[in-house]
Amino acid sequence: MKLIKRNDNIYIFPLLFIGIMYICSIAQDPSFGDSLVFTIQGYKGFEFSSNATNHILFSNFLSLLHKIFPFVEVHFLFVGVCILSGILSLFYLGRLLNLLDISPRSSLICIMILGLSFTFWRQAIITEVYTFYLLFSILYLINLFKFVQSKEIKYFYYLSFLLGILFLIHIQTILFLPLYLYFIFRNFTILKMHIIYGGIITGLLFSVLLIPVFMGRNTFISIFTDNSYEDSIFNYDPSIILKSIIRNLVFLIYNFLFFIVFLFWGLKNKTHLDYIAIGIIPFLVFCIKHNVSDGYVFQLIPYVFLLILMGRGLDYFPKIYIILPLFFPVIYFTSYKIVEKTSLGKTFDKEKYYKGGTRYMLFPPLNGNPDWDYFINKYKGGALYNDPNLKYLDSSIREWDEIRKKN
């Protein structure tokens, strides 16, 4: 199989441009939150826990890279993994869209839309699991649709292997199971002699998550959930659900901006629409029910399905300018400049000033946000120490301060 196909050539320079933008957007230190935790964990060495927030394959892959490249500054090494995962995700998104008969031109626009969207851009420039997870998710979908189109058994084994890998990266892979089961149902006649073997491949990979349980590192139930999941998933307050729907719609609009309208034209193409619908619905329900501050990251998988529809919609408008997604950074920067002068902006600046305030909330790049020395002086001085959003990071904050002094 050729690594670069003829239709791929159209993506090279746009992806190079996006990659340069990502590199220029990196902060000098890890972002506060899970990014800092992953950085510390990767620096300290291998961690054999398989709880819902550890992401065992991702965190240990970072540790392995640090062992191989100890001379590379750990923060930039780990962010480099996320940037590379993001660029490869965009590349294979183009492959997926072409596979589904979306024109190279519309595919390129979709790649640029996702690559320059707020959520994807932000996740690509911090040490987080989501671009890494998205890469393998897109590869999984490519092999699923290749089987649907060609009926070649090898693609079933490829997707079974990738499904197992996805479980090792993030437990939200459970949400892919309805699509997997529907896929088997629709293709049962061809797959009936292979379902068991495919299931064994997926099951063996999933069983890696059980090893830490047997070692006493975590409980079985912790593989699937933690307190934040339980508090949100099992909360059925209608007002909270309504707020979550509105919140997710705001994220969707801010990420896709004026390109959202093309989704409606995309629905005219019914090819594989059943797979798309069954694939996206569990993730959308989860996004609505898991109403937490960083819940927008879980929209990235639904975005892949939405971009399929968007690409089909764009095919109805061949005269749309390819360069339109390049206005995304301009719109984000303008939004930040406008909002910072409002009462909402003042609230952001007050509550998130140590991260960058309004700039952090509305503009994807992290370079230029308050540096570590500014933060650590405020933190050790007591101004931030008792902040409940930071208190759980206390050990990581102090460990990173020591690490950076050594380097």
Side-chain angles (χ1 to χ4, degrees), residues 34-75:
D34 291 344
S35 179
L36 179 60
V37 174
F38 279 130
T39 303
I40 298 295
Q41 185 173 297
Y43 177 84
K44 292 170 69 174
F46 299 108
E47 174 57 51
F48 297 105
S49 295
S50 56
N51 57 69
T53 58
N54 183 58
H55 316 311
I56 188 169
L57 183 59
F58 175 69
S59 58
N60 286 295
F61 179 65
L62 296 182
S63 298
L64 176 63
L65 285 181
H66 180 49
K67 298 292 184 185
I68 298 173
F69 303 106
F71 49 87
V72 180
E73 203 280 331
V74 66
H75 166 57

Short mmCIF file of all heavy atoms in Angstrom, two decimals, residues 34-75:
data_model
loop_
_atom_site.label_atom_id
_atom_site.label_comp_id
_atom_site.label_asym_id
_atom_site.label_seq_id
_atom_site.Cartn_x
_atom_site.Cartn_y
_atom_site.Cartn_z
N ASP A 34 -5.19 17.89 33.10
CA ASP A 34 -4.69 16.56 32.75
C ASP A 34 -3.39 16.62 31.96
O ASP A 34 -2.57 15.70 32.02
CB ASP A 34 -5.75 15.80 31.94
CG ASP A 34 -6.96 15.42 32.79
OD1 ASP A 34 -6.85 15.48 34.03
OD2 ASP A 34 -8.00 15.08 32.21
N SER A 35 -3.19 17.68 31.20
CA SER A 35 -1.95 17.83 30.43
C SER A 35 -0.73 17.82 31.35
O SER A 35 0.28 17.16 31.07
CB SER A 35 -1.99 19.12 29.61
OG SER A 35 -0.79 19.30 28.88
N LEU A 36 -0.83 18.54 32.45
CA LEU A 36 0.26 18.56 33.43
C LEU A 36 0.44 17.18 34.06
O LEU A 36 1.57 16.71 34.25
CB LEU A 36 -0.04 19.61 34.50
CG LEU A 36 0.99 19.75 35.62
CD1 LEU A 36 2.36 20.13 35.08
CD2 LEU A 36 0.52 20.80 36.64
N VAL A 37 -0.68 16.53 34.37
CA VAL A 37 -0.62 15.20 35.00
C VAL A 37 0.04 14.19 34.06
O VAL A 37 0.91 13.42 34.47
CB VAL A 37 -2.04 14.72 35.37
CG1 VAL A 37 -2.00 13.28 35.88
CG2 VAL A 37 -2.66 15.64 36.42
N PHE A 38 -0.35 14.18 32.78
CA PHE A 38 0.26 13.27 31.81
C PHE A 38 1.76 13.55 31.65
O PHE A 38 2.56 12.62 31.49
CB PHE A 38 -0.42 13.40 30.45
CG PHE A 38 -1.71 12.64 30.34
CD1 PHE A 38 -2.85 13.27 29.86
CD2 PHE A 38 -1.79 11.31 30.68
CE1 PHE A 38 -4.05 12.57 29.75
CE2 PHE A 38 -2.97 10.60 30.57
CZ PHE A 38 -4.11 11.24 30.11
N THR A 39 2.13 14.82 31.67
CA THR A 39 3.54 15.18 31.51
C THR A 39 4.37 14.64 32.67
O THR A 39 5.44 14.04 32.46
CB THR A 39 3.70 16.70 31.41
OG1 THR A 39 2.90 17.20 30.32
CG2 THR A 39 5.16 17.08 31.16
N ILE A 40 3.88 14.84 33.88
CA ILE A 40 4.59 14.33 35.06
C ILE A 40 4.65 12.82 35.03
O ILE A 40 5.69 12.20 35.29
CB ILE A 40 3.89 14.80 36.36
CG1 ILE A 40 3.90 16.32 36.47
CG2 ILE A 40 4.54 14.16 37.58
CD1 ILE A 40 5.27 16.92 36.62
N GLN A 41 3.54 12.20 34.69
CA GLN A 41 3.47 10.75 34.67
C GLN A 41 4.44 10.17 33.64
O GLN A 41 5.17 9.21 33.92
CB GLN A 41 2.04 10.31 34.34
CG GLN A 41 1.80 8.81 34.41
CD GLN A 41 0.33 8.47 34.23
OE1 GLN A 41 -0.50 8.85 35.04
NE2 GLN A 41 0.01 7.78 33.16
N GLY A 42 4.46 10.76 32.44
CA GLY A 42 5.37 10.31 31.40
C GLY A 42 6.82 10.51 31.78
O GLY A 42 7.69 9.69 31.45
N TYR A 43 7.10 11.58 32.50
CA TYR A 43 8.46 11.87 32.94
C TYR A 43 8.93 10.86 33.99
O TYR A 43 10.08 10.42 33.97
CB TYR A 43 8.51 13.29 33.51
CG TYR A 43 9.85 13.68 34.07
CD1 TYR A 43 10.86 14.17 33.26
CD2 TYR A 43 10.10 13.57 35.46
CE1 TYR A 43 12.10 14.53 33.79
CE2 TYR A 43 11.33 13.94 35.99
CZ TYR A 43 12.32 14.42 35.15
OH TYR A 43 13.54 14.77 35.67
N LYS A 44 8.05 10.50 34.89
CA LYS A 44 8.42 9.63 36.01
C LYS A 44 8.60 8.18 35.58
O LYS A 44 9.31 7.42 36.25
CB LYS A 44 7.37 9.74 37.11
CG LYS A 44 7.35 11.10 37.78
CD LYS A 44 6.16 11.27 38.70
CE LYS A 44 6.24 10.41 39.92
NZ LYS A 44 5.15 10.70 40.89
N GLY A 45 7.96 7.75 34.50
CA GLY A 45 8.12 6.38 34.04
C GLY A 45 6.79 5.68 33.81
O GLY A 45 5.73 6.31 33.86
N PHE A 46 6.85 4.41 33.56
CA PHE A 46 5.66 3.64 33.19
C PHE A 46 4.67 3.57 34.36
O PHE A 46 5.06 3.47 35.52
CB PHE A 46 6.05 2.23 32.75
CG PHE A 46 6.96 2.23 31.55
CD1 PHE A 46 8.30 1.89 31.68
CD2 PHE A 46 6.47 2.59 30.31
CE1 PHE A 46 9.13 1.90 30.58
CE2 PHE A 46 7.30 2.60 29.19
CZ PHE A 46 8.65 2.26 29.33
N GLU A 47 3.38 3.63 34.00
CA GLU A 47 2.32 3.60 34.99
C GLU A 47 1.30 2.55 34.58
O GLU A 47 0.60 2.71 33.57
CB GLU A 47 1.65 4.97 35.10
CG GLU A 47 0.42 5.01 36.00
CD GLU A 47 0.71 4.54 37.40
OE1 GLU A 47 1.67 5.04 38.01
OE2 GLU A 47 -0.03 3.65 37.88
N PHE A 48 1.23 1.46 35.34
CA PHE A 48 0.36 0.35 34.96
C PHE A 48 -0.95 0.39 35.73
O PHE A 48 -1.28 -0.52 36.50
CB PHE A 48 1.08 -0.98 35.16
CG PHE A 48 2.29 -1.12 34.28
CD1 PHE A 48 3.57 -0.98 34.80
CD2 PHE A 48 2.14 -1.32 32.93
CE1 PHE A 48 4.68 -1.08 33.99
CE2 PHE A 48 3.25 -1.41 32.09
CZ PHE A 48 4.53 -1.29 32.63
N SER A 49 -1.69 1.46 35.51
CA SER A 49 -3.07 1.56 35.99
C SER A 49 -3.97 1.67 34.77
O SER A 49 -3.57 2.22 33.75
CB SER A 49 -3.25 2.78 36.89
OG SER A 49 -2.50 2.65 38.08
N SER A 50 -5.16 1.14 34.88
CA SER A 50 -6.07 1.16 33.72
C SER A 50 -7.39 1.80 34.08
O SER A 50 -8.44 1.41 33.58
CB SER A 50 -6.30 -0.27 33.20
OG SER A 50 -6.78 -1.11 34.23
N ASN A 51 -7.35 2.81 34.97
CA ASN A 51 -8.59 3.48 35.32
C ASN A 51 -9.05 4.37 34.18
O ASN A 51 -8.33 4.59 33.21
CB ASN A 51 -8.43 4.28 36.61
CG ASN A 51 -7.31 5.29 36.51
OD1 ASN A 51 -7.42 6.26 35.78
ND2 ASN A 51 -6.23 5.07 37.24
N ALA A 52 -10.26 4.90 34.32
CA ALA A 52 -10.91 5.62 33.21
C ALA A 52 -10.17 6.88 32.79
O ALA A 52 -10.39 7.39 31.70
CB ALA A 52 -12.36 5.97 33.61
N THR A 53 -9.31 7.40 33.65
CA THR A 53 -8.61 8.65 33.32
C THR A 53 -7.13 8.45 33.05
O THR A 53 -6.42 9.42 32.78
CB THR A 53 -8.77 9.66 34.48
OG1 THR A 53 -8.26 9.09 35.69
CG2 THR A 53 -10.23 10.04 34.67
N ASN A 54 -6.64 7.23 33.13
CA ASN A 54 -5.20 7.00 32.94
C ASN A 54 -4.82 6.86 31.47
O ASN A 54 -3.75 7.29 31.06
CB ASN A 54 -4.76 5.76 33.71
CG ASN A 54 -3.26 5.53 33.61
OD1 ASN A 54 -2.48 6.40 33.99
ND2 ASN A 54 -2.86 4.40 33.08
N HIS A 55 -5.69 6.21 30.66
CA HIS A 55 -5.43 6.01 29.23
C HIS A 55 -4.09 5.29 29.04
O HIS A 55 -3.11 5.85 28.55
CB HIS A 55 -5.45 7.34 28.48
CG HIS A 55 -6.60 8.23 28.88
ND1 HIS A 55 -7.90 7.77 28.93
CD2 HIS A 55 -6.65 9.53 29.26
CE1 HIS A 55 -8.70 8.77 29.32
NE2 HIS A 55 -7.96 9.83 29.52
N ILE A 56 -4.08 4.04 29.42
CA ILE A 56 -2.87 3.26 29.65
C ILE A 56 -1.92 3.22 28.46
O ILE A 56 -0.70 3.34 28.63
CB ILE A 56 -3.25 1.82 30.11
CG1 ILE A 56 -2.01 1.05 30.55
CG2 ILE A 56 -4.03 1.08 29.03
CD1 ILE A 56 -2.35 -0.26 31.26
N LEU A 57 -2.43 3.10 27.25
CA LEU A 57 -1.55 3.02 26.09
C LEU A 57 -0.90 4.37 25.82
O LEU A 57 0.31 4.46 25.55
CB LEU A 57 -2.32 2.55 24.85
CG LEU A 57 -1.48 2.36 23.58
CD1 LEU A 57 -0.38 1.34 23.81
CD2 LEU A 57 -2.36 1.91 22.42
N PHE A 58 -1.67 5.43 25.90
CA PHE A 58 -1.15 6.77 25.63
C PHE A 58 -0.10 7.17 26.66
O PHE A 58 1.02 7.59 26.30
CB PHE A 58 -2.29 7.78 25.65
CG PHE A 58 -1.86 9.22 25.49
CD1 PHE A 58 -1.35 9.67 24.28
CD2 PHE A 58 -1.96 10.11 26.55
CE1 PHE A 58 -0.94 11.00 24.14
CE2 PHE A 58 -1.57 11.43 26.41
CZ PHE A 58 -1.05 11.88 25.20
N SER A 59 -0.41 7.03 27.93
CA SER A 59 0.51 7.49 28.97
C SER A 59 1.81 6.69 28.96
O SER A 59 2.90 7.24 29.14
CB SER A 59 -0.15 7.41 30.35
OG SER A 59 -0.57 6.09 30.64
N ASN A 60 1.72 5.39 28.70
CA ASN A 60 2.93 4.57 28.67
C ASN A 60 3.72 4.74 27.37
O ASN A 60 4.93 4.55 27.36
CB ASN A 60 2.59 3.11 28.93
CG ASN A 60 2.25 2.86 30.38
OD1 ASN A 60 3.07 2.99 31.27
ND2 ASN A 60 0.99 2.53 30.65
N PHE A 61 3.04 5.11 26.30
CA PHE A 61 3.75 5.45 25.06
C PHE A 61 4.60 6.69 25.27
O PHE A 61 5.74 6.77 24.81
CB PHE A 61 2.74 5.67 23.93
CG PHE A 61 3.37 6.05 22.62
CD1 PHE A 61 4.20 5.17 21.95
CD2 PHE A 61 3.14 7.30 22.06
CE1 PHE A 61 4.79 5.52 20.74
CE2 PHE A 61 3.71 7.66 20.85
CZ PHE A 61 4.55 6.76 20.19
N LEU A 62 4.06 7.68 26.01
CA LEU A 62 4.84 8.86 26.33
C LEU A 62 6.07 8.48 27.16
O LEU A 62 7.18 8.99 26.92
CB LEU A 62 3.99 9.87 27.10
CG LEU A 62 2.78 10.47 26.37
CD1 LEU A 62 2.07 11.48 27.27
CD2 LEU A 62 3.17 11.12 25.05
N SER A 63 5.88 7.60 28.13
CA SER A 63 6.99 7.17 28.97
C SER A 63 8.07 6.47 28.14
O SER A 63 9.27 6.70 28.35
CB SER A 63 6.49 6.22 30.07
OG SER A 63 5.58 6.87 30.93
N LEU A 64 7.64 5.65 27.20
CA LEU A 64 8.59 4.95 26.34
C LEU A 64 9.40 5.94 25.51
O LEU A 64 10.63 5.81 25.38
CB LEU A 64 7.84 3.98 25.42
CG LEU A 64 8.69 3.24 24.39
CD1 LEU A 64 9.71 2.34 25.08
CD2 LEU A 64 7.80 2.41 23.45
N LEU A 65 8.74 6.94 24.96
CA LEU A 65 9.44 7.94 24.16
C LEU A 65 10.46 8.71 25.01
O LEU A 65 11.55 9.03 24.54
CB LEU A 65 8.44 8.92 23.54
CG LEU A 65 7.63 8.42 22.35
CD1 LEU A 65 6.70 9.52 21.85
CD2 LEU A 65 8.55 7.97 21.22
N HIS A 66 10.08 8.99 26.26
CA HIS A 66 11.01 9.70 27.13
C HIS A 66 12.25 8.85 27.43
O HIS A 66 13.35 9.38 27.55
CB HIS A 66 10.31 10.10 28.43
CG HIS A 66 11.19 10.83 29.39
ND1 HIS A 66 11.97 11.90 29.03
CD2 HIS A 66 11.42 10.63 30.73
CE1 HIS A 66 12.65 12.35 30.07
NE2 HIS A 66 12.33 11.59 31.12
N LYS A 67 12.04 7.52 27.53
CA LYS A 67 13.18 6.62 27.74
C LYS A 67 14.08 6.60 26.51
O LYS A 67 15.32 6.55 26.62
CB LYS A 67 12.68 5.20 28.02
CG LYS A 67 11.83 5.05 29.28
CD LYS A 67 12.63 5.28 30.53
CE LYS A 67 11.77 5.01 31.77
NZ LYS A 67 12.50 5.33 33.02
N ILE A 68 13.48 6.66 25.32
CA ILE A 68 14.25 6.59 24.08
C ILE A 68 14.94 7.92 23.78
O ILE A 68 16.08 7.96 23.29
CB ILE A 68 13.33 6.21 22.90
CG1 ILE A 68 12.73 4.81 23.13
CG2 ILE A 68 14.09 6.25 21.57
CD1 ILE A 68 11.69 4.42 22.10
N PHE A 69 14.25 9.03 24.09
CA PHE A 69 14.78 10.37 23.79
C PHE A 69 14.91 11.20 25.08
O PHE A 69 14.27 12.24 25.21
CB PHE A 69 13.86 11.09 22.80
CG PHE A 69 13.64 10.36 21.52
CD1 PHE A 69 12.43 9.72 21.27
CD2 PHE A 69 14.63 10.29 20.55
CE1 PHE A 69 12.21 9.04 20.08
CE2 PHE A 69 14.42 9.61 19.36
CZ PHE A 69 13.21 8.98 19.12
N PRO A 70 15.75 10.76 26.03
CA PRO A 70 15.86 11.48 27.30
C PRO A 70 16.48 12.87 27.15
O PRO A 70 16.35 13.71 28.04
CB PRO A 70 16.77 10.57 28.14
CG PRO A 70 17.58 9.83 27.14
CD PRO A 70 16.66 9.61 25.97
N PHE A 71 17.12 13.11 26.03
CA PHE A 71 17.78 14.40 25.79
C PHE A 71 16.81 15.47 25.26
O PHE A 71 17.18 16.64 25.17
CB PHE A 71 18.94 14.22 24.79
CG PHE A 71 18.56 13.45 23.55
CD1 PHE A 71 18.01 14.10 22.46
CD2 PHE A 71 18.73 12.07 23.51
CE1 PHE A 71 17.63 13.39 21.33
CE2 PHE A 71 18.36 11.35 22.38
CZ PHE A 71 17.82 12.00 21.29
N VAL A 72 15.59 15.07 24.90
CA VAL A 72 14.59 16.02 24.41
C VAL A 72 13.77 16.52 25.59
O VAL A 72 13.32 15.72 26.42
CB VAL A 72 13.66 15.38 23.36
CG1 VAL A 72 12.63 16.40 22.87
CG2 VAL A 72 14.48 14.84 22.19
N GLU A 73 13.58 17.83 25.68
CA GLU A 73 12.79 18.40 26.77
C GLU A 73 11.41 17.76 26.79
O GLU A 73 10.72 17.72 25.78
CB GLU A 73 12.68 19.92 26.57
CG GLU A 73 12.39 20.70 27.84
CD GLU A 73 10.93 20.67 28.23
OE1 GLU A 73 10.08 20.55 27.34
OE2 GLU A 73 10.62 20.78 29.44
N VAL A 74 11.02 17.23 27.93
CA VAL A 74 9.88 16.33 28.02
C VAL A 74 8.57 16.99 27.58
O VAL A 74 7.74 16.36 26.91
CB VAL A 74 9.78 15.74 29.45
CG1 VAL A 74 9.45 16.82 30.46
CG2 VAL A 74 8.75 14.64 29.53
N HIS A 75 8.37 18.24 27.93
CA HIS A 75 7.13 18.93 27.55
C HIS A 75 7.00 19.01 26.03
O HIS A 75 5.95 18.67 25.47
CB HIS A 75 7.12 20.33 28.17
CG HIS A 75 6.09 21.24 27.59
ND1 HIS A 75 4.75 20.95 27.58
CD2 HIS A 75 6.21 22.47 27.00
CE1 HIS A 75 4.07 21.94 27.01
NE2 HIS A 75 4.94 22.87 26.65
#
